[in-house]
Amino acid sequence: MLTPVLRKRLLTAANYAVLILMALVALFPIYFMVIASFKNTEDLFRNGIRMVFEFDNLTVANYEYTLTTKDGIYLEASVLDARNVRATKNRRNGIQLSSRSSGTIWASNLDSNGQAVKGSTTGKTGHGLGVASSQVSVGNTSMSSNKVCGASLTGTARVTVTDSRIAGNGRHGVGTTAGSRATISDTTVSRSGHNGVLASGSGTVIDLRNVTITDSRKHGLSVPTKGAATMTNTVIATSGKVNASVSDRGRLTVLGGNTIRRAKSHGIAVARPSWRSQGRAIWSRATGSTACWSPNRAPPDGSPPR
């Protein structure tokens, strides 16, 4: 049985322990600032989400990552769940997933990134979303006004985009390299500095479903260098050159319900007979041909007249 004196001593010790714990909590921000004062600011804020920690699984919601010296959020071999996140005006990418990362991005804003990019956008980093040999699902998200691409897919990237807006990017709305795959649905792609969607490289496959691509400076859809694309219920219109360009053993499959209209050059231009058409498509008001094949061979069955 505790004596009154022992009980009093135990209560005093407990009070001291609580006070010490509260002091540690209160002093931690000061400690962090003191430690930070000895570090290079660029090292601290190189990536918004990699300032201090490395995550195996990262969940972020209702956060804003802006003006970092590299990427707003950067992951390697990690899992991301981002909802209602603003990753904007960063010097490189809004969000970058690399090295077998995976994730979900929903109701977010990945705009105006690539602030470090000057002059030509060729080969440069400055995307709303970068996906390198990783997989991600994106929904109800804006990837607009970035200096390079709205979304850049490299390596074995696997991406699903739905109900999103990709507008006013400096190079491609969606850019790819060999081996990437993406399904894009119920999404608008507009005012791209080069191509609206680029499906480039061996093994690359882009599936467009109920997508609207307008006002691309060059091609609405470009399928070069052994890339492949399929379009269903998709509108490609008012491109600066060709609405859909297929070259260098690229392959385009045109399924039902598509509208190709008002390009400044051809509606669809195919450098080799490497496309299929089935179902109903609407072809209208191209300045050049509605569809053009080269070399001079008969178009495949089901195609529109030359």
Side-chain angles (χ1 to χ4, degrees):
M1 184 175 180
L2 296 177
T3 64
V5 174
L6 183 57
R7 184 182 296 109
K8 183 177 180 180
R9 289 179 178 176
L10 289 173
L11 288 173
T12 300
N15 288 335
Y16 279 129
V18 171
L19 289 173
I20 291 171
L21 181 60
M22 293 175 62
L24 289 173
V25 171
L27 291 173
F28 179 78
I30 298 174
Y31 166 79
F32 177 80
M33 287 188 290
V34 171
I35 295 300
S37 68
F38 293 101
K39 291 183 176 288
N40 189 315
T41 302
E42 181 176 331
D43 292 335
L44 280 172
F45 296 97
R46 190 176 303 278
N47 292 297
I49 202 64
R50 278 185 75 183
M51 289 194 314
V52 182
F53 304 104
E54 294 284 349
F55 292 92
D56 289 327
N57 294 276
L58 171 65
T59 300
V60 288
N62 304 307
Y63 273 82
E64 182 169 344
Y65 303 94
T66 62
L67 302 173
T68 64
T69 62
K70 281 198 174 179
D71 305 307
I73 297 175
Y74 179 91
L75 282 87
E76 289 187 4
S78 301
V79 178
L80 172 68
D81 184 2
R83 298 174 186 273
N84 195 25
V85 168
R86 288 177 54 86
T88 62
K89 298 182 180 179
N90 298 291
R91 287 179 64 81
R92 292 186 50 163
N93 298 337
I95 295 179
Q96 174 68 41
L97 286 80
S98 300
S99 302
R100 301 178 306 283
S101 293
S102 62
T104 300
I105 300 170
W106 182 259
S108 294
N109 185 314
L110 314 181
D111 294 349
S112 303
N113 295 288
Q115 295 297 309
V117 175
K118 306 296 181 184
S120 172
T121 58
T122 302
K124 293 185 178 178
T125 298
H127 317 302
L129 172 64
V131 186
S133 297
S134 300
Q135 60 184 20
V136 63
S137 295
V138 182
N140 191 25
T141 289
S142 175
M143 294 171 277
S144 302
S145 302
N146 297 288
K147 287 293 185 69
V148 189
C149 297
S152 174
L153 285 55
T154 60
T156 56
R158 300 292 183 266
V159 176
T160 300
V161 178
T162 186
D163 192 26
S164 293
R165 176 177 177 267
I166 304 172
N169 294 289
R171 196 165 181 83
H172 310 302
V174 177
T176 61
T177 62
S180 302
R181 293 179 177 244
T183 298
I184 306 171
S185 61
D186 302 305
T187 290
T188 60
V189 182
S190 63
R191 295 180 289 106
S192 300
H194 282 63
N195 303 305
V197 175
L198 174 68
S200 178
S202 178
T204 293
V205 179
I206 302 295
D207 187 2
L208 303 176
R209 306 176 185 179
N210 194 31
V211 174
T212 299
I213 305 172
T214 58
D215 299 318
S216 304
R217 184 169 295 178
K218 292 184 69 175
H219 309 310
L221 171 64
S222 179
V223 191
T225 55
K226 301 182 183 179
T230 299
M231 49 190 290
T232 308
N233 296 323
T234 287
V235 175
I236 306 180
T238 56
S239 301
K241 291 188 175 180
V242 177
N243 274 331
S245 172
V246 188
S247 61
D248 296 334
R249 289 181 287 176
R251 184 172 184 84
L252 174 61
T253 301
V254 181
L255 301 180
N258 299 288
T259 299
I260 310 294
R261 60 185 174 85
R262 299 187 65 179
K264 287 189 176 179
S265 183
H266 307 297
I268 293 180
V270 184
R272 294 170 183 262
S274 55
W275 84 317
R276 290 189 305 152
S277 176
Q278 65 185 72
R280 178 175 179 270
I282 299 171
W283 318 78
S284 66
R285 297 184 65 179
T287 302
S289 307
T290 53
C292 176
W293 285 265
S294 175
N296 186 19
R297 301 182 184 177
D301 291 341
S303 63
R306 292 177 61 182

